[in-house]
Amino acid sequence: ISATSGVRDPAYREAYDRALALGERHGEDRQRFAAHWGLWFLDQVGTEDDAVGRRMERVGEMFAIAHRLHDPDLELEAYHSRWATRFGHGTFAEASADARAGIKLYVPERHLHHRFTYGGHDTKVCAHAFWGVCAAIAGDGRESATQLADGLAHARRLDDPPALAHGLAFAALGAHFRGDLATCQALGDEAFEAARIQAVPQFHLTATAIGGWAHYMAGERTRGLDMIESIHGASQQTSTLFSAVIQSLIADIETAQGRTLVALQRMQNVGETHSRFYRAEYRRRLGELTLLADPSAHAEAARHFQSAIELAHRQEAWTFELRAAFSLARLVATDGRAAEAHALLAPVVARFDAD
């Protein structure tokens, strides 16, 4: 169900609710584990704030079962749930550590079949995917490219459409955060064509949107708009971890078309109910659109930028912090405060120079 019609299909929750009830009734830990994982996955693609408690509770229950049974296979899938949960919380270093632990536990002969029980996608592909995107957000472009390439290579070896769709989505997202326009285009094109054969909604949407955005920004406007149009409607109806990213990409295109107020309204409609991992970048983008819509709105834009910087710093999301710092410094400099702008940027840029 998750790989075809998506986890928002009511049949998905009904199936796992029944499985959990049966597991509880008969004291079957393994059945309870699988049911908790499936229900966790449903919560994972919900809005961050209304599902956070349920996610962490289920993750804890899964680790308890895995440790009680001394079962490394279940421990792998408990890590699987926790790296995604921590990513959604914006705790990127911890998410990366969990992904590394999962890769160490993964044995193809024992775990390839897990995709039929746990989320409809391969666990190793997922581990590399989250690790790679975390690395991009942390400003480590080389590590990001390596992990995402490894995950995508593994997905291709499996010859499994959901695994490939998952790999393409995260690889495209990592490329987007690294500013690699050509890779965004190539991966988006592949996802766009693959969706004609077997659509995997929660993943093909992301890669196709990123690819369409990249084509448009590279001057290939017709191609870009065709790709964006292909996900129109589906992007509104299908809740994904990256829904705010998709909406911000569409807002970028609207801004490039001179429809700044439409783009600003789109971003304001997104609000902050989305996953916490993107909130710092969301706030920066909102600040930029605020200024474009009203060049005199310096104070409001500055608040957005400062909030983005503070959140990104707490999350150790150095790429997002750098972008927000540049936005605020540019604004400060236009107010004739060049020394203040330099002081703002210097420690942020120094972090990248040290790396």
Side-chain angles (χ1 to χ4, degrees):
I1 296 172
S2 67
T4 54
S5 57
V7 298
R8 287 302 182 191
D9 187 328
Y12 182 95
R13 178 175 284 280
E14 292 170 8
Y16 279 106
D17 278 340
R18 288 197 302 270
L20 182 59
L22 287 171
E24 298 284 1
R25 185 182 309 157
H26 298 292
E28 292 288 343
D29 267 346
R30 295 182 188 283
Q31 185 168 325
R32 288 176 58 236
F33 183 99
H36 274 300
W37 204 100
L39 291 168
W40 164 84
F41 192 58
L42 176 58
D43 290 339
Q44 176 68 8
V45 299
T47 57
E48 194 276 339
D49 284 332
D50 69 10
V52 57
R54 293 194 302 272
R55 285 204 295 269
M56 292 306 296
E57 185 177 334
R58 291 194 192 283
V59 168
E61 181 64 23
M62 285 185 276
F63 268 105
I65 293 172
H67 293 158
R68 184 163 59 246
L69 297 179
H70 304 287
D71 190 324
D73 298 341
L74 296 186
E75 185 180 17
L76 168 63
E77 295 306 329
Y79 275 118
H80 188 178
S81 67
R82 197 167 71 182
W83 70 59
T85 301
R86 285 176 160 174
F87 177 87
H89 281 270
T91 52
F92 303 114
E94 291 85 350
S96 296
D98 280 340
R100 290 193 294 272
I103 290 170
K104 288 181 180 178
L105 286 170
Y106 185 94
V107 179
E109 294 76 15
R110 284 167 45 194
H111 300 133
L112 283 174
H113 71 280
H114 277 206
R115 65 185 185 273
F116 300 116
T117 304
Y118 301 109
H121 61 271
D122 182 76
T123 308
K124 187 175 190 288
V125 172
C126 188
H128 284 294
F130 275 95
W131 185 358
V133 173
C134 284
I137 292 171
D140 190 342
R142 183 176 301 175
E143 186 67 47
S144 171
T146 296
Q147 293 305 321
L148 293 169
D150 286 350
L152 200 49
H154 179 61
R156 295 189 196 286
R157 287 193 295 270
L158 295 179
D159 193 25
D160 176 61
L164 180 59
H166 187 289
L168 289 171
F170 279 80
L173 187 69
H176 173 51
F177 289 155
R178 297 194 309 270
D180 184 348
L181 209 64
T183 297
C184 289
Q185 290 172 278
L187 296 171
D189 286 345
E190 186 173 356
F192 184 54
E193 296 304 322
R196 299 176 187 274
I197 302 171
Q198 180 178 349
V200 185
Q202 62 267 42
F203 296 128
H204 277 148
L205 285 177
T206 304
T208 299
I210 292 171
W213 167 86
H215 278 293
Y216 192 93
M217 294 303 164
E220 299 169 9
R221 296 184 176 183
T222 300
R223 173 65 172 176
L225 290 175
D226 284 347
M227 293 174 72
I228 293 296
E229 183 62 29
S230 76
I231 67 167
H232 185 68
S235 64
Q236 301 290 336
Q237 298 166 12
T238 304
S239 177
T240 78
L241 180 62
F242 306 132
S243 58
V245 179
I246 293 174
Q247 293 304 309
S248 70
L249 296 173
I250 296 173
D252 273 355
I253 291 175
E254 290 168 338
T255 302
Q257 293 171 331
R259 297 191 291 154
T260 303
L261 292 178
V262 174
L264 178 59
Q265 185 63 60
R266 178 183 295 278
M267 292 300 282
Q268 290 171 336
N269 289 343
V270 169
E272 293 210 351
T273 59
H274 53 84
S275 177
R276 194 175 297 170
F277 95 92
Y278 194 64
R279 286 189 185 174
E281 179 67 354
Y282 166 80
R283 292 174 186 177
R284 182 193 71 82
R285 286 173 175 263
L286 194 58
E288 294 285 7
L289 283 170
T290 297
L291 271 181
L292 284 172
D294 180 2
S296 69
H298 285 204
E300 183 181 355
R303 285 194 296 272
H304 288 308
F305 296 147
Q306 186 62 47
S307 177
I309 291 169
E310 292 170 359
L311 177 57
H313 189 83
R314 290 197 300 272
Q315 294 177 333
E316 299 182 4
W318 309 130
T319 294
F320 294 162
E321 184 189 28
L322 181 65
R323 291 179 179 181
F326 267 112
S327 293
L328 182 56
R330 187 166 51 244
L331 177 61
V332 167
T334 63
D335 287 337
R337 296 177 286 161
E340 185 179 338
H342 181 271
L344 172 70
L345 274 178
V348 182
V349 173
R351 181 178 297 111
F352 283 82
D353 289 341
D355 293 340

